[in-house]
Amino acid sequence: QVRLVESGGGSVQTGGSLRLSCVGSGSGPLFGRDGSYCMGWFRQVPGKEREGVAGIGMRSGVPYYSDLVKGRFTISRVSANRTVFLEMNRLESEDTATYYCAARTSACGSWSGYNTWGQGTQVTVSS
């Protein structure tokens, strides 16, 4: 069974930075034999739908971002360790949310199709 575990959340002032990490473990079709799977970050605020933030191909290393975070957030990965990072800079109060790590067996390209999720880590941005 595959497990995703996030870390790195916390509280920060407006304009500050945080770095989230997500480590995948276990075995199953997700990790496959050639590493062609996708990992990403989503976030959710109570009362609102979960939204995609960033994703990255674990083999290709090609990232994609939501327009809301493009230019401020950077996603990266260490494929051998099944680890993905989200560097968040110039944080705004609107970035306050629970951030979830997620993975999908297919290649990256959209926000749908993610079928493995972590427990989430809270990010709070205050002025």
Side-chain angles (χ1 to χ4, degrees):
Q1 186 173 355
V2 173
R3 185 178 179 215
L4 303 177
V5 178
E6 305 99 334
S7 61
S11 297
V12 65
Q13 290 190 325
T14 302
S17 300
L18 281 174
R19 189 189 196 211
L20 305 182
S21 301
C22 173
V23 180
S25 63
S27 62
L30 172 65
F31 295 131
R33 291 180 296 176
D34 63 0
S36 296
Y37 62 101
C38 179
M39 291 183 72
W41 291 94
F42 291 71
R43 66 188 184 186
Q44 188 170 24
V45 175
K48 293 189 177 181
E49 290 191 0
R50 191 175 297 183
E51 62 178 6
V53 174
I56 189 166
M58 295 302 282
R59 184 180 186 186
S60 67
V62 176
Y64 64 105
Y65 299 95
S66 159
D67 288 341
L68 294 174
V69 307
K70 198 174 293 183
R72 299 188 298 122
F73 291 10
T74 302
I75 189 170
S76 60
R77 97 284 189 226
V78 178
S79 296
N81 295 339
R82 298 172 179 175
T83 300
V84 63
F85 304 98
L86 185 68
E87 185 77 35
M88 305 184 293
N89 297 314
R90 305 202 312 271
L91 283 161
E92 305 166 353
S93 57
E94 291 78 12
D95 296 316
T96 295
T98 300
Y99 283 71
Y100 296 90
C101 178
R104 52 188 270 181
T105 53
S106 53
C108 290
S110 71
W111 300 121
S112 62
Y114 285 85
N115 54 14
T116 302
W117 296 86
Q119 299 279 43
T121 185
Q122 179 65 34
V123 171
T124 302
V125 184
S126 57
S127 57

